Amino acid sequence: MLTIFNLHARVGDNEILKGVNLKVRAGEVHAIMGPNGSGKSTLAGVLAGRDVFEVTEGDVLFDGKNLLEMDPEERAREGVFLAFQYPVEIPGVSNTYFLKAAVNAIRKHRGLEELDAMDFMNLMKEKLKILHIDEDLLKRPVNEGFSGGEKKRNEIFQMAVLEPRLCILDETDSGLDIDALRTVADGVNALRSPDRAFLVITHYQRLLNYIVPDKVHVLFDGRIVKSGGKELALELESKGYGWIEEELAHAARA
Amino acid sequence: MTGVIDIKETYFSRFSELERALGEREGSPLHRLRQLAIERFAELGFPTTDDEEWRFTNVAPLAQVSFRLPAANEPPAVELKQLLPSWLQAAAGPRLVFVNGRMIPTWSNTDGLPPGVVVTSLGQRLATGAVPAPLGRYADFDVHPFVALNTAFFREGAVVALPKGCVLTDPIHLVWISAAAGEPIMTHPRHLILAGVQTQARIVESYFGPEGAVYFTNAVTEVVLEESAIVEHTKVQQESTEAFHLAAVQVHQDRDSRFTSHAIALGGGLVRNDINVILDAPGTEATLNGLYVGTGRQLIDNHTRIDHARPHGASHELYKGILDGQARGVFNGKIYVHPGAQKTDAKQTNKTLLLSDEAQINSKPQLEIYADDVKCTHGATIGQVAEDMLFYLRTRGIGQDEARRLLTFAFANEVLERLSVEPLRAWLEARFLQSPTAGRETHR
Ligand SMILES: Nc1ncnc2c1ncn2[C@@H]1O[C@H](COP(=O)(O)OP(=O)(O)OP(=O)(O)O)[C@@H](O)[C@H]1O
Ligand SMILES: [Mg+2]
């Protein structure tokens, strides 16, 4: 579904991604871990189409299409979704209005009819119920004045509504209490299906107890330096990243 | 029609025409008032950009057109139905509709008002020789040349008077339409709102004209709030983008009264709005909300002045602007706290969204404080649509243009959501969501 080949990206003169390679198949869950500043959010941003990141080399194919050539909205309509590490507050735009615009833009792209007010509200209510989120959310302006946990829940709610095919979660679990963490896990698990894939960026094993990854990758200084199964996450949690650094240094000497 | 006209000569000769048409008795109080005003106007002339109050607003284009006075009952050049926007057709409440400077009884309706309430045409009042007492008492024509011009020339407008304790639920609509065929006209609407003790009312002034038409609207509104009166004044301006719109609102507040203004400026080529509020007794509160939207080569100037003359007064001011194309905006917000006006609480905010590189805003807060125990704050921001918000919306599938519209609407909505006249609010919301600078309803 997603193939990242030798991806290099920079901000200004600062090269952040230095040749990322990754292959994600439909139905899989991949976890990406790595120390602060290693480029995890940059990778997520490049996939979503943030233009501060300049791609200098490499390719990204999504269902065989060149993702890097698409505008952010086109990527979203094709089924890429990014749950932001730091969701943006948009005062003055209600969640309802925002989501209706999003749902209908995506439906239109898929050749479906726009939802009328009634069907749209039913869809909202159904999704809120699955995630145990209060209906108040709909009336509130997008993320404005939300606590960190509320913002993350709102990201998951949007994901549930938009039903993307590739879900990228950028530290959606960071700073969450256990209830909010369950919302995130429920949201992801409700969406899991053979034709959908997840890229879960996280620092912790906690979320991975609920969403068991097929593969775990370590992003280090702009490269994926190690990949393994779900046990790699446990190892990283208990031992930190020091040993990986040592391994790298050792490999460099050899 | 182009080339600079002799202001004095032109306006004096128009004044003579008016005198002949009105036939007011020489030496009568009203005639005296007009005389003083035209003389004062002759002394003041049109302001130049050397005048601090007009620094960014050059009215020279106004002096290039020789405006005529409309004839009696000059029919509109366009069908009225086309000029009234849908929100006004849907709005409930009594209304006075003026076309080309005259009240149109068939379009007006003042049925069902509570006993004692006056909603009437100033023209009809003047025709009976009865001049409403406070007319001209509050709007000072000594310094403001266009108030002087209005005072010399007014012949129509509304007189609204609410007796003690009267509470009106529906707003009163004062609709002013300029749509004359032939040479450009000028009109000088003059409204007088008298809100008695413990009254409550909403007044909605609206101004329209067919797109492309050249004309000059020079309005003055006096609002007087007696003790504990609550008045909400909404002004929606959707003039032709070739029109000149100058308007002054003068508000006088007595003890414990509450005044709210919503000033929505969407049309007009050269626009100047002055709102002066005097909090002339303890315990008063004034709220001034404003939204100005300009595109093309529009110039929209908002000058507000709040005089805190007595203690325990509060004022809240929020003006927001959206400027595209080569449009220019001016915001000048003066807050004057007089000696002795202790415990004054004044807050002023001006925010402008610039949608193009060539759009401009000159924003100037002016705080003059002569009392020591007061709280006065002001803030001004100028910015573009926030890139991070835009990106966020786009990652949810919303196209770039729609995302921009949505964010522009969100910016405007902070002012729009305060509007209490629901058909107007809903109409504006729909307009903004369609196009960020579609201030005017497009006429077919
Ligand atoms: N917009 C930007 N402008 C300049 N530098 C940036 C920008 N975004 C990221 N960087 C830099 O790129 C590097 C990688 O940042 P990134 O946010 O991708 O790391 P991360 O792995 O997500 O870290 P964390 O675990 O803290 O979220 C950092 O050095 C950061 O300072
Ligand atoms: Mg990050």
Side-chain angles (χ1 to χ4, degrees):
Chain A
M1 171 183 277
L2 178 74
T3 309
I4 301 174
F5 175 72
N6 190 31
L7 185 65
H8 290 249
R10 66 178 184 197
V11 178
D13 292 336
N14 186 9
E15 181 161 56
I16 302 168
L17 299 183
K18 303 173 180 171
V20 174
N21 292 293
L22 184 67
K23 217 176 169 86
V24 180
R25 288 189 188 82
E28 291 180 345
V29 174
H30 288 232
I32 295 185
M33 304 180 83
N36 295 123
S38 57
K40 303 182 296 295
S41 294
T42 302
L43 176 61
V46 168
L47 295 178
R50 254 193 87 179
D51 60 8
V52 289
F53 302 121
E54 187 196 343
V55 175
T56 50
E57 234 186 295
D59 289 305
V60 179
L61 294 180
F62 179 64
D63 284 339
K65 293 181 198 157
N66 184 345
L67 194 69
L68 299 178
E69 271 182 357
M70 299 181 201
D71 285 335
E73 55 267 41
E74 226 181 315
R75 301 180 195 205
R77 292 168 191 171
E78 287 286 325
V80 176
F81 180 90
L82 168 62
F84 283 71
Q85 182 174 7
Y86 305 110
V88 180
E89 298 194 12
I90 309 184
V93 179
S94 77
N95 257 310
T96 304
Y97 195 91
F98 159 60
L99 276 171
K100 194 157 182 227
V103 166
N104 284 331
I106 290 173
R107 288 180 67 89
K108 200 171 156 196
H109 182 77
R110 294 181 187 163
L112 298 168
E113 260 182 57
E114 292 195 1
L115 289 183
D116 64 22
M118 202 46 171
D119 290 340
F120 175 75
M121 278 320 283
N122 288 338
L123 174 70
M124 293 300 101
K125 286 183 180 157
E126 177 199 322
K127 300 295 183 183
L128 286 168
K129 209 164 158 191
I130 296 174
L131 299 174
H132 307 287
I133 297 177
D134 200 283
E135 269 185 40
D136 267 8
L137 178 78
L138 297 176
K139 285 191 227 108
R140 296 173 66 185
V142 180
N143 295 328
E144 194 192 14
F146 284 27
S147 69
E150 283 177 321
K151 284 182 184 167
K152 298 295 178 75
R153 275 193 223 222
N154 197 14
E155 295 293 288
I156 295 303
F157 173 58
Q158 291 170 33
M159 184 176 85
V161 169
L162 300 178
E163 299 182 336
R165 299 199 42 242
L166 173 66
C167 308
I168 306 163
L169 277 63
D170 190 359
E171 294 201 29
T172 305
D173 54 332
S174 289
L176 292 191
D177 62 36
I178 195 69
D179 287 340
L181 190 73
R182 284 224 179 87
T183 301
V184 172
D186 289 349
V188 170
N189 287 326
L191 275 184
R192 280 196 73 164
S193 86
D195 59 357
R196 195 169 273 135
F198 292 84
L199 209 55
V200 181
I201 297 171
T202 181
H203 282 291
Y204 311 104
Q205 169 60 31
R206 212 166 55 138
L207 181 64
L208 304 179
N209 291 334
Y210 298 97
I211 313 166
V212 181
D214 298 294
K215 289 218 170 81
V216 176
H217 309 276
V218 180
L219 189 69
F220 194 90
D221 192 23
R223 280 187 200 92
I224 289 178
V225 295
K226 196 170 183 70
S227 298
K230 58 179 192 277
E231 59 296 333
L232 179 57
L234 289 165
E235 199 175 353
L236 289 168
E237 174 129 312
S238 61
K239 296 206 287 189
Y241 295 100
W243 62 280
I244 291 192
E245 240 173 306
E246 276 165 35
E247 262 189 28
L248 285 175
H250 189 75
R253 277 198 300 274
Chain B
M1 234 179 68
T2 45
V4 177
I5 56 162
D6 184 324
I7 310 259
K8 217 157 146 182
E9 197 182 298
T10 307
Y11 285 89
F12 260 95
S13 89
R14 296 285 177 270
F15 186 69
S16 309
E17 273 173 45
L18 179 77
E19 277 184 310
R20 279 198 299 280
L22 289 173
E24 279 163 4
R25 192 168 49 80
E26 190 87 23
S28 70
L30 181 58
H31 193 258
R32 264 313 284 145
L33 183 68
R34 291 191 195 281
Q35 284 267 299
L36 285 172
I38 194 74
E39 281 161 20
R40 187 63 189 142
F41 173 72
E43 284 160 19
L44 293 168
F46 281 163
T48 68
T49 49
D50 291 337
D51 182 338
E52 192 54 35
E53 289 289 297
W54 296 85
R55 228 177 104 200
F56 300 107
T57 300
N58 186 353
V59 297
L62 196 57
Q64 287 174 359
V65 188
S66 171
F67 295 99
R68 66 182 176 89
L69 295 167
N73 300 320
E74 200 170 314
V78 184
E79 215 191 314
L80 276 187
K81 195 118 205 157
Q82 279 187 36
L83 284 170
L84 285 188
S86 49
W87 69 265
L88 199 50
Q89 296 184 26
R95 67 191 54 194
L96 294 177
V97 177
F98 305 88
V99 176
N100 298 334
R102 300 297 196 283
M103 203 264 282
I104 310 286
T106 48
W107 282 76
S108 304
N109 177 15
T110 55
D111 294 344
L113 287 166
V117 175
V118 175
V119 177
T120 188
S121 132
L122 175 66
Q124 287 177 0
R125 273 298 177 87
L126 297 181
T128 67
V131 183
L135 192 74
R137 189 184 298 165
Y138 298 98
D140 181 12
F141 59 74
D142 221 33
V143 290
H144 197 316
F146 293 101
V147 174
L149 202 58
N150 175 288
T151 307
F153 279 94
F154 69 72
R155 67 181 299 173
E156 239 330 346
V159 178
V160 176
L162 306 166
K164 183 177 174 183
C166 172
V167 173
L168 292 184
T169 41
D170 285 335
I172 299 169
H173 289 274
L174 309 177
V175 184
W176 196 272
I177 294 171
S178 300
E183 294 296 297
I185 59 162
M186 63 170 168
T187 59
H188 302 269
R190 183 72 176 227
H191 301 307
L192 178 64
I193 318 293
L194 301 168
V197 176
Q198 286 169 4
T199 54
Q200 199 173 323
R202 291 182 289 164
I203 313 289
V204 183
E205 285 181 39
S206 52
Y207 294 85
F208 306 96
E211 182 51 31
V214 179
Y215 55 89
F216 173 23
T217 309
N218 179 38
V220 173
T221 301
E222 289 170 290
V223 186
V224 183
L225 292 87
E226 293 184 6
E227 260 184 59
S228 300
I230 300 174
V231 173
E232 185 191 82
H233 178 259
T234 303
K235 186 183 155 218
V236 190
Q237 183 271 102
Q238 287 176 261
E239 306 272 33
S240 152
T241 47
E242 298 293 321
F244 299 85
H245 179 96
L246 287 88
V249 178
Q250 181 71 45
V251 183
H252 190 270
Q253 290 189 246
D254 207 337
R255 186 177 273 270
D256 300 323
S257 62
R258 222 156 75 211
F259 175 75
T260 303
S261 155
H262 303 285
I264 313 288
L266 305 173
L270 193 162
V271 176
R272 164 75 173 230
N273 293 312
D274 280 84
I275 300 185
N276 299 330
V277 183
I278 302 180
L279 287 77
D280 204 12
T284 50
E285 187 179 339
T287 303
L288 306 186
N289 298 317
L291 180 67
Y292 45 97
V293 181
T295 183
R297 305 183 58 87
Q298 284 178 274
L299 165 60
I300 304 170
D301 178 344
N302 284 293
H303 265 63
T304 66
R305 175 181 171 130
I306 301 173
D307 276 272
H308 283 271
R310 309 283 165 191
H312 294 284
S315 64
H316 324 277
E317 186 171 11
L318 173 67
Y319 265 70
K320 295 186 96 170
I322 299 168
L323 301 173
D324 201 351
Q326 294 169 286
R328 283 192 299 129
V330 178
F331 174 79
N332 191 103
K334 184 180 261 188
I335 295 175
Y336 195 108
V337 182
H338 293 248
Q342 303 296 9
K343 304 289 178 193
T344 285
D345 185 353
K347 182 167 191 252
Q348 178 189 93
T349 310
N350 174 226
K351 296 182 186 169
T352 307
L353 190 59
L354 298 179
L355 297 181
S356 78
D357 293 340
E358 285 178 287
Q360 271 183 49
I361 174 80
N362 291 99
S363 174
K364 184 171 156 205
Q366 240 184 320
L367 271 51
E368 290 186 40
I369 302 170
Y370 301 101
D372 50 19
D373 186 11
V374 302
K375 201 166 93 193
C376 292
T377 61
H378 69 87
T381 63
I382 300 167
Q384 282 92 35
V385 171
E387 285 300 322
D388 59 341
M389 294 186 196
L390 202 56
F391 178 63
Y392 189 81
L393 294 176
R394 294 177 75 191
T395 63
R396 293 339 184 210
I398 300 172
Q400 163 133 280
D401 290 346
E402 192 181 357
R404 245 173 225 288
R405 278 200 299 276
L406 198 52
L407 292 174
T408 309
F409 162 71
F411 178 85
N413 200 30
E414 193 183 358
V415 175
L416 298 183
E417 68 190 4
R418 299 175 185 208
L419 295 173
S420 73
V421 179
E422 179 50 26
L424 172 62
R425 193 207 58 76
W427 179 84
L428 283 166
E429 173 177 311
R431 299 302 300 175
F432 272 98
L433 288 171
Q434 251 174 51
S435 161
T437 49
R440 298 173 41 84
E441 191 157 35
T442 41
H443 300 293
R444 298 135 305 258

